Amino acid sequence: MLRCLRVLPARVTRNFSRCCSNYVARMRFINKLKEDEGACLTALESGNIFLYHTLAPLLRKTQQGVFQLPLLPFKDLEGILNRLGKDGSMVKDSVLITCTEQNRALFCLDVGELDQQAVEKECGGNFVDLRKAFFTLRGEEAPLVARGQALLRWHQGNGFCSASGKPTTRNQAGSQRVCHSNGLIYYPKMSPVIITLVSDGKRCLLARQASFPRGMFSALAGFCDMGETLEETLRREVAEEVGLEVVSVRYSGSQHWPFPQSSFMVACHATVSPGNTQVDVDHEELEEARWFTLEEIRAALKLRTPPRNPRDQPPTIWVPPSYAIAHKLIREWVDDQELHYDGE
Ligand SMILES: NC(=O)c1ccc[n+]([C@@H]2O[C@H](COP(=O)([O-])OP(=O)(O)OC[C@H]3O[C@@H](n4cnc5c(N)ncnc54)[C@H](O)[C@@H]3O)[C@@H](O)[C@H]2O)c1
Ligand SMILES: [Mg+2]
């Protein structure tokens, strides 16, 4: 992540201040925490922890009405757990997320075995659905909350070795699990997905699945098959879903997408030749796919929130919000078109 993390209240520990004064040192420090159990425990004891309850993150609303991710120091969380009748050492089950620019390690913990309302009262916040948290939090906190949930979900689903059936054990950082009966090591997984905005030079192609909210159209997306390159996935998905053959591909960016499970979204622009634009939709996958003009896309981008789409009227077209990489692709396409027309 190139963008800086928000400045968090810092009690910079003396040990870390010298070695983590810049990005390279910080990344090496995080890597050390994944490998050194003692160092990770020390970092946890001077670090901050954010909470989930059965994978729903805890948010707190400030007096200004802004939602934040409350960060609890190790000792405070230990005290809260003790007051709720739990062994405070449960804090040690926290999973490493990152290290802030103030050299403070950041962890997360799922307290799903505790009474939800009692924790909310103690912490002065509410556990909310991840989707709501992702929409509500400010930019830099949203990826953190998604990453935390993805890691906790992975641990919850990988407690047993799929080869031996025996329990697996996690390391202190929570960056891997091991089956001691056969030595197999498991690492957290994301499924690679290609997402592509297809253009014919003047128009772009958007599609919707039947499960999308009414009126919402997005770029084409699809999971990579085993052994495929990203380019092969892109060509195949476009052919399968809309019956078109792509002639060029340009990389745009990537994003971890936590819904419904961890996907690694790789976003690309693609073109088809102007003579090959007849869409043939696979209705098993998509409800609709069609070409949109620059004016139509500009109008869709102007809608900041999903429009009210009464059932008895044709829906207003809208596109995914700014935190979705589909939005970035669509905005880039508009910028490219405007540049192109300005130059003509
Ligand atoms: N962030 C964004 O802007 C954005 C936009 C669009 C889609 N997405 C995400 O992209 C993902 C893929 O899109 P899609 O649904 O069109 O994919 P898709 O076209 O590959 O169709 C989904 C189907 O693929 C199969 N599949 C193959 N490998 C799979 C795997 N590893 N996990 C789950 N299913 C697998 C399943 O049968 C599933 O029903 C979705 O999870 C969606 O949430 C994100
Ligand atoms: Mg798809």
Side-chain angles (χ1 to χ4, degrees):
M1 185 168 67
L2 293 179
R3 203 142 45 95
C4 296
L5 291 166
R6 185 168 66 92
V7 174
L8 300 163
R11 194 187 70 200
V12 179
T13 67
R14 230 173 289 133
N15 286 352
F16 303 156
S17 58
R18 252 176 299 133
C19 68
C20 297
S21 59
N22 60 42
Y23 177 78
V24 171
R26 200 154 49 90
M27 293 306 114
R28 289 184 174 170
F29 175 62
I30 294 169
N31 201 33
K32 179 179 163 66
L33 298 187
K34 291 181 188 167
E35 285 159 11
D36 184 331
E37 303 284 283
C40 189
L41 201 53
T42 306
L44 173 61
E45 284 164 359
S46 59
N48 279 314
I49 301 125
F50 55 97
L51 296 185
Y52 294 78
H53 190 283
T54 49
L55 298 177
L58 181 80
L59 299 195
R60 191 183 285 157
K61 200 173 181 180
T62 65
Q63 285 178 339
Q64 291 72 40
V66 177
F67 283 93
Q68 282 184 337
L69 197 58
L71 303 177
L72 304 165
F74 180 91
K75 282 278 165 225
D76 292 10
L77 183 53
E78 223 179 20
I80 289 171
L81 293 173
N82 284 330
R83 281 200 293 284
L84 294 174
K86 263 277 160 195
D87 181 359
S89 66
M90 179 186 169
V91 189
K92 293 183 181 157
D93 294 343
S94 300
V95 167
L96 175 68
I97 299 297
T98 189
C99 171
T100 71
E101 287 188 355
Q102 285 67 46
N103 307 324
R104 213 160 196 210
L106 199 55
F107 291 79
C108 69
L109 177 69
D110 195 309
V111 293
E113 53 196 273
L114 299 180
D115 178 69
Q116 181 178 333
Q117 287 179 352
V119 184
E120 288 177 339
K121 203 167 158 216
E122 279 283 344
C123 298
N126 288 99
F127 291 104
V128 302
D129 179 68
L130 180 71
R131 212 171 262 274
K132 186 175 174 203
F134 202 67
F135 296 169
T136 326
L137 287 171
R138 282 178 300 168
E140 62 272 28
E141 285 181 329
L144 279 186
V145 91
R147 188 198 294 203
Q149 199 223 41
L151 277 169
L152 293 170
R153 183 195 288 278
W154 178 79
H155 280 286
Q156 289 175 14
N158 287 272
F160 293 88
C161 173
S162 53
S164 70
K166 300 246 165 60
T168 56
T169 322
R170 54 165 276 193
N171 63 346
Q172 183 58 50
S175 59
Q176 57 172 247
R177 301 190 73 94
V178 181
C179 174
H180 291 292
S181 78
N182 57 18
L184 275 180
I185 305 176
Y186 293 89
Y187 296 96
K189 278 203 181 69
M190 297 188 281
S191 300
V193 172
I194 195 91
I195 176 159
T196 184
L197 187 63
V198 177
S199 172
D200 71 350
K202 293 270 184 207
R203 301 169 300 170
C204 73
L205 187 78
L206 297 181
R208 52 173 282 109
Q209 294 179 4
S211 59
F212 283 8
R214 197 154 179 261
M216 192 186 93
F217 279 75
S218 187
L220 299 176
F223 289 94
C224 293
D225 278 349
M226 185 63 80
E228 269 184 339
T229 64
L230 288 169
E231 296 86 337
E232 285 166 348
T233 308
L234 190 153
R235 274 192 94 194
R236 174 180 57 74
E237 281 291 336
V238 173
E240 275 176 16
E241 295 193 352
V242 293
L244 293 174
E245 202 161 322
V246 159
V247 292
S248 77
V249 175
R250 179 165 52 90
Y251 174 77
S252 166
S254 63
Q255 172 182 52
H256 169 240
W257 190 244
F259 313 111
Q261 303 247 342
S262 274
S263 295
F264 177 56
M265 310 289 308
V266 179
C268 292
H269 293 276
T271 57
V272 293
S273 55
N276 167 26
T277 58
Q278 183 62 49
V279 174
D280 173 14
V281 177
D282 174 2
H283 287 288
E284 292 283 315
E285 296 256 351
L286 300 173
E287 185 181 72
E288 191 183 349
R290 67 175 177 89
W291 292 103
F292 287 81
T293 63
L294 181 58
E295 287 63 39
E296 286 174 306
I297 297 293
R298 276 193 186 129
L301 282 172
K302 276 194 190 132
L303 300 168
R304 295 261 168 240
T305 51
R308 285 173 186 277
N309 271 323
R311 284 266 148 217
D312 56 349
Q313 283 168 35
T316 309
I317 304 300
W318 57 290
V319 292
S322 55
Y323 53 77
I325 202 151
H327 186 101
K328 177 177 178 266
L329 279 175
I330 294 167
R331 209 163 262 290
E332 283 174 352
W333 181 80
V334 169
D335 291 347
D336 275 359
Q337 292 296 111
E338 287 172 351
L339 206 65
H340 179 73
Y341 288 131
D342 282 353
E344 272 184 354

PDB file of all heavy atoms in Angstrom, residues 144-158:
ATOM      1  N   LEU A 144      -7.865  -1.784   6.007  1.00  0.00           N
ATOM      2  CA  LEU A 144      -7.415  -2.459   7.230  1.00  0.00           C
ATOM      3  C   LEU A 144      -8.484  -3.394   7.765  1.00  0.00           C
ATOM      4  O   LEU A 144      -8.210  -4.535   8.146  1.00  0.00           O
ATOM      5  CB  LEU A 144      -7.127  -1.424   8.333  1.00  0.00           C
ATOM      6  CG  LEU A 144      -5.806  -0.699   8.322  1.00  0.00           C
ATOM      7  CD1 LEU A 144      -5.681   0.168   9.572  1.00  0.00           C
ATOM      8  CD2 LEU A 144      -4.656  -1.699   8.288  1.00  0.00           C
ATOM      9  N   VAL A 145      -9.723  -2.887   7.796  1.00  0.00           N
ATOM     10  CA  VAL A 145     -10.817  -3.671   8.344  1.00  0.00           C
ATOM     11  C   VAL A 145     -11.107  -4.877   7.449  1.00  0.00           C
ATOM     12  O   VAL A 145     -11.445  -5.967   7.933  1.00  0.00           O
ATOM     13  CB  VAL A 145     -12.039  -2.745   8.597  1.00  0.00           C
ATOM     14  CG1 VAL A 145     -12.962  -2.659   7.436  1.00  0.00           C
ATOM     15  CG2 VAL A 145     -12.794  -3.174   9.812  1.00  0.00           C
ATOM     16  N   ALA A 146     -10.917  -4.717   6.151  1.00  0.00           N
ATOM     17  CA  ALA A 146     -11.124  -5.827   5.205  1.00  0.00           C
ATOM     18  C   ALA A 146     -10.021  -6.866   5.379  1.00  0.00           C
ATOM     19  O   ALA A 146     -10.274  -8.069   5.389  1.00  0.00           O
ATOM     20  CB  ALA A 146     -11.132  -5.302   3.778  1.00  0.00           C
ATOM     21  N   ARG A 147      -8.802  -6.387   5.527  1.00  0.00           N
ATOM     22  CA  ARG A 147      -7.668  -7.307   5.677  1.00  0.00           C
ATOM     23  C   ARG A 147      -7.801  -8.120   6.966  1.00  0.00           C
ATOM     24  O   ARG A 147      -7.578  -9.329   6.991  1.00  0.00           O
ATOM     25  CB  ARG A 147      -6.363  -6.504   5.713  1.00  0.00           C
ATOM     26  CG  ARG A 147      -5.160  -7.387   5.660  1.00  0.00           C
ATOM     27  CD  ARG A 147      -3.900  -6.720   6.110  1.00  0.00           C
ATOM     28  NE  ARG A 147      -3.460  -5.637   5.249  1.00  0.00           N
ATOM     29  CZ  ARG A 147      -2.199  -5.223   5.200  1.00  0.00           C
ATOM     30  NH1 ARG A 147      -1.276  -5.805   5.933  1.00  0.00           N
ATOM     31  NH2 ARG A 147      -1.844  -4.226   4.435  1.00  0.00           N
ATOM     32  N   GLY A 148      -8.183  -7.419   8.051  1.00  0.00           N
ATOM     33  CA  GLY A 148      -8.356  -8.090   9.343  1.00  0.00           C
ATOM     34  C   GLY A 148      -9.405  -9.185   9.253  1.00  0.00           C
ATOM     35  O   GLY A 148      -9.173 -10.324   9.675  1.00  0.00           O
ATOM     36  N   GLN A 149     -10.553  -8.867   8.646  1.00  0.00           N
ATOM     37  CA  GLN A 149     -11.605  -9.871   8.564  1.00  0.00           C
ATOM     38  C   GLN A 149     -11.172 -11.058   7.723  1.00  0.00           C
ATOM     39  O   GLN A 149     -11.446 -12.207   8.041  1.00  0.00           O
ATOM     40  CB  GLN A 149     -12.899  -9.263   8.012  1.00  0.00           C
ATOM     41  CG  GLN A 149     -14.092 -10.128   8.359  1.00  0.00           C
ATOM     42  CD  GLN A 149     -15.066 -10.317   7.212  1.00  0.00           C
ATOM     43  OE1 GLN A 149     -14.667 -10.509   6.068  1.00  0.00           O
ATOM     44  NE2 GLN A 149     -16.345 -10.264   7.537  1.00  0.00           N
ATOM     45  N   ALA A 150     -10.470 -10.759   6.608  1.00  0.00           N
ATOM     46  CA  ALA A 150     -10.028 -11.838   5.715  1.00  0.00           C
ATOM     47  C   ALA A 150      -9.090 -12.801   6.457  1.00  0.00           C
ATOM     48  O   ALA A 150      -9.205 -14.022   6.316  1.00  0.00           O
ATOM     49  CB  ALA A 150      -9.327 -11.242   4.500  1.00  0.00           C
ATOM     50  N   LEU A 151      -8.174 -12.244   7.258  1.00  0.00           N
ATOM     51  CA  LEU A 151      -7.237 -13.100   7.995  1.00  0.00           C
ATOM     52  C   LEU A 151      -7.951 -13.919   9.062  1.00  0.00           C
ATOM     53  O   LEU A 151      -7.697 -15.119   9.206  1.00  0.00           O
ATOM     54  CB  LEU A 151      -6.149 -12.236   8.652  1.00  0.00           C
ATOM     55  CG  LEU A 151      -4.994 -11.855   7.740  1.00  0.00           C
ATOM     56  CD1 LEU A 151      -4.116 -10.794   8.386  1.00  0.00           C
ATOM     57  CD2 LEU A 151      -4.156 -13.085   7.408  1.00  0.00           C
ATOM     58  N   LEU A 152      -8.860 -13.271   9.800  1.00  0.00           N
ATOM     59  CA  LEU A 152      -9.586 -13.992  10.856  1.00  0.00           C
ATOM     60  C   LEU A 152     -10.459 -15.092  10.250  1.00  0.00           C
ATOM     61  O   LEU A 152     -10.524 -16.200  10.750  1.00  0.00           O
ATOM     62  CB  LEU A 152     -10.441 -13.005  11.674  1.00  0.00           C
ATOM     63  CG  LEU A 152      -9.634 -12.006  12.511  1.00  0.00           C
ATOM     64  CD1 LEU A 152     -10.545 -10.922  13.084  1.00  0.00           C
ATOM     65  CD2 LEU A 152      -8.885 -12.711  13.644  1.00  0.00           C
ATOM     66  N   ARG A 153     -11.099 -14.773   9.128  1.00  0.00           N
ATOM     67  CA  ARG A 153     -11.944 -15.767   8.445  1.00  0.00           C
ATOM     68  C   ARG A 153     -11.096 -16.967   7.997  1.00  0.00           C
ATOM     69  O   ARG A 153     -11.483 -18.110   8.126  1.00  0.00           O
ATOM     70  CB  ARG A 153     -12.617 -15.120   7.231  1.00  0.00           C
ATOM     71  CG  ARG A 153     -13.575 -16.044   6.483  1.00  0.00           C
ATOM     72  CD  ARG A 153     -13.899 -15.484   5.123  1.00  0.00           C
ATOM     73  NE  ARG A 153     -14.752 -14.328   5.169  1.00  0.00           N
ATOM     74  CZ  ARG A 153     -16.087 -14.381   5.292  1.00  0.00           C
ATOM     75  NH1 ARG A 153     -16.680 -15.535   5.377  1.00  0.00           N
ATOM     76  NH2 ARG A 153     -16.794 -13.286   5.320  1.00  0.00           N
ATOM     77  N   TRP A 154      -9.903 -16.653   7.480  1.00  0.00           N
ATOM     78  CA  TRP A 154      -9.020 -17.721   7.011  1.00  0.00           C
ATOM     79  C   TRP A 154      -8.637 -18.643   8.177  1.00  0.00           C
ATOM     80  O   TRP A 154      -8.668 -19.865   8.050  1.00  0.00           O
ATOM     81  CB  TRP A 154      -7.770 -17.127   6.348  1.00  0.00           C
ATOM     82  CG  TRP A 154      -6.824 -18.179   5.887  1.00  0.00           C
ATOM     83  CD1 TRP A 154      -6.925 -18.941   4.754  1.00  0.00           C
ATOM     84  CD2 TRP A 154      -5.666 -18.653   6.581  1.00  0.00           C
ATOM     85  NE1 TRP A 154      -5.894 -19.839   4.704  1.00  0.00           N
ATOM     86  CE2 TRP A 154      -5.114 -19.691   5.805  1.00  0.00           C
ATOM     87  CE3 TRP A 154      -5.047 -18.283   7.772  1.00  0.00           C
ATOM     88  CZ2 TRP A 154      -3.961 -20.368   6.181  1.00  0.00           C
ATOM     89  CZ3 TRP A 154      -3.906 -18.963   8.158  1.00  0.00           C
ATOM     90  CH2 TRP A 154      -3.365 -19.996   7.363  1.00  0.00           C
ATOM     91  N   HIS A 155      -8.293 -18.057   9.341  1.00  0.00           N
ATOM     92  CA  HIS A 155      -7.940 -18.881  10.503  1.00  0.00           C
ATOM     93  C   HIS A 155      -9.120 -19.742  10.936  1.00  0.00           C
ATOM     94  O   HIS A 155      -8.946 -20.921  11.264  1.00  0.00           O
ATOM     95  CB  HIS A 155      -7.473 -17.996  11.671  1.00  0.00           C
ATOM     96  CG  HIS A 155      -6.056 -17.555  11.516  1.00  0.00           C
ATOM     97  ND1 HIS A 155      -4.987 -18.403  11.706  1.00  0.00           N
ATOM     98  CD2 HIS A 155      -5.524 -16.367  11.154  1.00  0.00           C
ATOM     99  CE1 HIS A 155      -3.862 -17.757  11.482  1.00  0.00           C
ATOM    100  NE2 HIS A 155      -4.153 -16.517  11.143  1.00  0.00           N
ATOM    101  N   GLN A 156     -10.320 -19.132  10.928  1.00  0.00           N
ATOM    102  CA  GLN A 156     -11.498 -19.884  11.380  1.00  0.00           C
ATOM    103  C   GLN A 156     -11.783 -21.074  10.460  1.00  0.00           C
ATOM    104  O   GLN A 156     -12.295 -22.091  10.904  1.00  0.00           O
ATOM    105  CB  GLN A 156     -12.707 -18.954  11.470  1.00  0.00           C
ATOM    106  CG  GLN A 156     -12.576 -17.981  12.634  1.00  0.00           C
ATOM    107  CD  GLN A 156     -13.696 -16.952  12.711  1.00  0.00           C
ATOM    108  OE1 GLN A 156     -14.731 -17.084  12.063  1.00  0.00           O
ATOM    109  NE2 GLN A 156     -13.480 -15.916  13.505  1.00  0.00           N
ATOM    110  N   GLY A 157     -11.435 -20.953   9.192  1.00  0.00           N
ATOM    111  CA  GLY A 157     -11.732 -22.019   8.230  1.00  0.00           C
ATOM    112  C   GLY A 157     -10.593 -22.995   7.989  1.00  0.00           C
ATOM    113  O   GLY A 157     -10.715 -23.898   7.169  1.00  0.00           O
ATOM    114  N   ASN A 158      -9.450 -22.794   8.666  1.00  0.00           N
ATOM    115  CA  ASN A 158      -8.278 -23.635   8.401  1.00  0.00           C
ATOM    116  C   ASN A 158      -7.696 -24.256   9.668  1.00  0.00           C
ATOM    117  O   ASN A 158      -6.486 -24.442   9.769  1.00  0.00           O
ATOM    118  CB  ASN A 158      -7.209 -22.827   7.646  1.00  0.00           C
ATOM    119  CG  ASN A 158      -7.627 -22.588   6.202  1.00  0.00           C
ATOM    120  OD1 ASN A 158      -7.354 -23.411   5.334  1.00  0.00           O
ATOM    121  ND2 ASN A 158      -8.338 -21.509   5.972  1.00  0.00           N
TER     122      ASN A 158
END
